[in-house]
Amino acid sequence: HFPEDPHKTGQDVTDLRASIMRIDVDHPTRGRGYSIPADNPLMNVPGARGEIWSFGHRNPWKMSFDRQTGDLWAGDVGLEVWELVCRVKPGDNYGWSLVEGSNPIHPEWSPGPSPVVKAWCEVPHTAGASITGGYVYRGKKFPELAGRYVFGDWVTRRVWSIGIGGDGPGPLVDLVAPTIRVIAFAEDRDGELFILDYDDGSIHELVPNDAVADAGAFPKQLSETGLFADAATQKPMPGVTPFTIAAEAWADHATSRRLIGLPGTGSVRLLPGKLPVEGSMFSHGLGFPAGTVLAKTFSIEMRAGDPESERKLETQLLHFDGRHWHGYSYAWNEAGTDAELVPAEGRSLPLLIADPLAPGGTRTQDWRFLGRSECQRCHNEWAGTTLAFNVEQLNRDVPAADGGRVNQLRKFREVGLLQDVVIEPELSRDPCPTSRWPGPEDELPRLVDPHDRSAPLDPRARAYLHVNCGGCHRFGGGSVPHVHLNFEMATTDLEVVGMRPTRGDFTIPDARVIVPGEPHRSTLWYRMATTGPGRMPHIGAELVDEEGLKVIREWIASLSIDSSSHRLVSALVPLDELAEVAELLGSPMTAAAVADAVADDRLPAATRELVLDAAAIADPVVVGLFERFLPPK
């Protein structure tokens, strides 16, 4: 159960760790209190411990036998990306620590004596973070659950069922509202299920609930939510407060306006930094009252550069029910008078934008209204759930009523939107507790605007990576292990500098996630620059952010250069032969330098035309760098 398995025990069958064992305690042998069944799967493997029934587990947490079939089921706690449900068979190898489910961890390490098998079900860290194994339901109280595996999650408190048939588990089905911290399941002699709560040691029975919430009761029109006095003009209701943030995520040329609505006279509590608080209601130092709503409205200029052509596209809501945040999207009508609730699965809207910088003067793009389950991929507990309404984003100067400037945190504290929590010393585990928090705003964390060129380059780049990548690329966020880009980590501590990529090097010679001084040998830069396979981010944006890409390019180039690395000379001379262009586009690294020259408009018109003609028929890895410069046809 080491996070990264430093002793390489996951695939080592000469010891018992990372395995499920099968022993006979009724027939002990001399020197130990059990014997090993002769038909255990590894009995004839040289050097293997005969007790092992299955191996390659990271941290199995609760297992049970299906009382009807005898199949063994186990929950297996993952590292950063997946939680697993295993249908355990003799000799199975579940891959730890070569992989964590489908996620590579140490693919370069030697495997055990049997091939890796896929877990029956993988639960992403946006849904669960510490799985608790359960039972295949064989009771009579719930016919709809017959023959389904019921299990839960200790962190998110959710309880699900999945299928066990030959066609796979199917989707996760939520059974009850998240309320208790699920530490174990139990069944009685009739096969009915019970759940044990870790927090208070109580035992809960699953019973039918006829008072099913009316899912259709959520407002169908944005104007019915109570957030706006006038939806068309975005005039908020009294008690609904606009706020701004320091660093906006790239949203395919769209801009956003934000609001927070609090119930009654409620306020957001500023929690002491040292107070040991658990539970999802506390998001990175802030405690929200039940009923809080955060709203973000996206708009886009239909004629790029013309504010008069701005059109409202979408308003996203986060609603806090007292334990969990739930996401909803509203699509604006073309007239901009109101917005309609988007179906749970989401949908897309094709847009045609007049843009002189786009090939042919027109930019085509699809605006994606994310489904409600997709919202949870970013708005998860690991990333702080609210993402924008937090100390580091709000800690900035904004216009004051007297025409001057005032810190936004201080302003919100003065009007009661934010309220300090006073902690008595005896309630804190710290010997010198902070009684009030936050302190002076200049001592609090803050992000800078990535596009404010008056600010230093390093905090600008780190802010950009934090808001665009750090939701997933942080511990527990669901990214490749060690690829952590949240701003809380110092640049000098980033393990991605010099790290070999585990998810593809795009044929870049001697690629690294970040090569100091060499953006075009850095897969981080490449993933941001390409529109082909491997593009990042996976969700929320489809187009390349040219300005953001320049910030990251300059930042990587500014990092100290490792003496073992070689520099790419990217200065380009005017070219007049297609053969010369094809040679430059023959390597992803030199092609990346050419793509930068196109983006920066550093090439003569004739050279640019030659480059784009050649790029359109180049290797797919290269084409991905140039598609954004080519007409859609």
Side-chain angles (χ1 to χ4, degrees):
H1 186 192
F2 291 99
E4 300 147 26
D5 196 9
H7 301 294
K8 301 185 180 181
T9 192
Q11 296 293 301
D12 182 2
V13 294
T14 66
D15 74 46
L16 296 176
R17 291 175 294 183
S19 67
I20 290 176
M21 294 169 283
R22 178 183 183 235
I23 59 176
D24 183 352
V25 297
D26 293 324
H27 302 90
T29 58
R30 181 176 298 179
R32 57 188 175 196
Y34 61 90
S35 61
I36 301 174
D39 60 346
N40 269 12
L42 302 186
M43 286 294 286
N44 297 319
V45 175
R49 292 293 297 264
E51 295 96 326
I52 294 175
W53 184 255
S54 63
F55 65 99
H57 299 278
R58 180 174 179 270
N59 184 20
W61 188 259
K62 304 304 177 184
M63 61 185 183
S64 65
F65 291 96
D66 182 345
R67 60 168 56 195
Q68 181 170 307
T69 67
D71 289 343
L72 175 61
W73 293 84
D76 198 355
V77 178
L79 177 62
E80 290 199 28
V81 181
W82 297 108
E83 301 295 306
L84 309 177
V85 172
C86 302
R87 188 178 200 161
V88 182
K89 296 180 181 179
D92 274 357
N93 173 9
Y94 288 95
W96 178 257
S97 56
L98 306 178
V99 295
E100 171 209 12
S102 300
N103 182 45
I105 302 291
H106 293 296
E108 74 280 8
W109 288 3
S110 299
S114 57
V116 174
V117 299
K118 185 176 176 62
W120 180 255
C121 178
E122 296 181 347
V123 178
H125 261 198
T126 51
S130 181
I131 202 164
T132 299
Y135 286 84
V136 176
Y137 181 73
R138 298 298 182 185
K140 296 184 174 58
K141 194 181 297 183
F142 304 101
E144 67 275 21
L145 291 181
R148 292 180 64 83
Y149 182 68
V150 177
F151 66 107
D153 190 82
W154 188 83
V155 172
T156 63
R157 308 175 189 230
R158 296 173 73 177
V159 177
W160 300 285
S161 76
I162 54 172
I164 64 169
D167 53 352
L172 293 169
V173 176
D174 281 275
L175 298 184
V176 296
T179 51
I180 62 176
R181 198 176 292 280
V182 183
I183 194 65
F185 287 82
E187 64 175 355
D188 65 15
R189 64 183 181 183
D190 297 321
E192 303 301 340
L193 295 182
F194 299 81
I195 305 176
L196 283 66
D197 181 10
Y198 175 84
D199 286 339
D200 63 9
S202 55
I203 300 174
H204 300 257
E205 182 181 2
L206 281 179
V207 296
N209 182 2
D210 296 327
V212 178
D214 180 9
F218 202 85
K220 289 289 196 290
Q221 299 295 129
L222 187 62
S223 57
E224 299 169 355
T225 62
L227 290 172
F228 299 102
D230 184 349
T233 62
Q234 294 277 282
K235 180 182 178 181
M237 279 284 196
V240 178
T241 306
F243 67 95
T244 61
I245 62 174
E248 287 280 1
W250 168 246
D252 288 348
H253 299 282
T255 58
S256 60
R257 287 178 284 184
R258 301 169 186 272
L259 301 168
I260 181 170
L262 299 173
T265 58
S267 59
V268 178
R269 289 170 292 163
L270 297 169
L271 303 169
K274 296 181 180 180
L275 181 66
V277 176
E278 294 183 352
S280 60
M281 66 181 297
F282 301 110
S283 175
H284 284 206
L286 301 180
F288 295 84
T292 299
V293 176
L294 292 164
K296 176 171 62 174
T297 297
F298 286 108
S299 301
I300 197 167
E301 293 174 350
M302 300 303 292
R303 296 184 300 276
D306 179 7
E308 296 297 320
S309 69
E310 186 176 81
R311 171 185 172 181
K312 295 189 289 289
L313 294 175
E314 176 183 13
T315 293
Q316 297 176 345
L317 302 187
L318 276 178
H319 175 246
F320 184 53
D321 65 8
R323 280 189 176 269
H324 295 277
W325 293 88
H326 304 276
Y328 303 87
S329 289
Y330 287 83
W332 283 87
N333 58 34
E334 196 164 356
T337 55
D338 206 347
E340 185 177 10
L341 183 65
V342 173
E345 65 273 14
R347 66 181 180 87
S348 296
L349 173 69
L351 297 174
L352 198 62
I353 312 292
D355 184 352
L357 299 180
T362 301
R363 184 176 77 242
T364 59
Q365 64 182 88
D366 279 335
W367 184 263
R368 170 69 179 159
F369 300 92
L370 297 178
R372 289 170 206 165
S373 62
E374 292 177 283
C375 297
Q376 303 303 318
R377 292 179 61 183
C378 294
H379 293 282
N380 59 70
E381 293 185 355
W382 303 98
T385 308
T386 59
L387 298 185
F389 198 93
N390 53 46
V391 170
E392 59 267 24
Q393 285 277 30
L394 299 174
N395 189 13
R396 63 191 305 263
D397 290 342
V398 296
D402 61 4
R405 307 282 290 179
V406 62
N407 182 277
Q408 188 170 218
L409 284 175
R410 185 181 308 160
K411 173 183 174 182
F412 287 166
R413 293 164 84 182
E414 290 173 352
V415 300
L417 189 149
L418 300 179
Q419 180 181 3
D420 291 351
V421 173
V422 179
I423 301 301
E424 299 299 329
E426 60 269 19
L427 297 182
S428 173
R429 299 177 193 166
D430 192 282
C432 300
T434 303
S435 61
R436 294 181 69 83
W437 188 90
E441 286 79 12
D442 58 2
E443 297 179 5
L444 298 176
R446 67 169 65 206
L447 296 176
V448 301
D449 181 355
H451 306 295
D452 179 6
R453 300 194 71 87
S454 67
L457 179 59
D458 185 73
R460 289 170 54 212
R462 296 304 310 282
Y464 185 91
L465 293 173
H466 178 80
V467 299
N468 288 282
C469 315
C472 292
H473 287 286
R474 63 170 63 235
F475 182 80
S479 71
V480 177
H482 315 300
V483 181
H484 300 156
L485 299 172
N486 48 304
F487 88 108
E488 295 92 344
M489 294 189 68
T491 298
T492 53
D493 296 333
L494 292 179
E495 296 184 55
V496 293
V497 178
M499 177 192 293
R500 289 186 181 276
T502 61
R503 295 290 183 88
D505 60 9
F506 307 104
T507 70
I508 299 170
D510 198 24
R512 299 289 189 272
V513 179
I514 292 178
V515 182
E518 300 189 45
H520 303 131
R521 224 167 25 103
S522 304
T523 58
L524 183 146
W525 178 92
Y526 182 91
R527 288 184 181 278
M528 292 176 56
T530 186
T531 55
R535 165 167 171 74
M536 290 285 186
H538 285 311
I539 190 171
E542 298 294 334
L543 305 180
V544 173
D545 180 5
E546 299 289 357
E547 293 303 314
L549 191 60
K550 288 180 183 178
V551 171
I552 299 306
R553 187 180 80 202
E554 293 174 10
W555 175 68
I556 295 175
S558 74
L559 298 176
S560 59
I561 301 172
D562 183 80
S563 59
S564 65
S565 66
H566 61 277
R567 295 298 304 272
L568 169 68
V569 179
S570 59
L572 297 173
V573 296
L575 303 171
D576 55 11
E577 294 291 338
L578 189 59
E580 297 178 57
V581 175
E583 183 177 353
L584 278 174
L585 300 184
S587 162
M589 193 163 65
T590 52
V594 179
D596 270 347
V598 174
D600 295 345
D601 200 20
R602 289 190 277 116
L603 296 183
T607 303
R608 176 188 172 97
E609 185 174 349
L610 282 173
V611 165
L612 296 183
D613 284 346
I617 57 173
D619 181 273
V621 172
V622 171
V623 171
L625 295 171
F626 291 89
E627 281 183 332
R628 65 193 198 267
F629 308 122
L630 301 172
K633 66 185 171 125

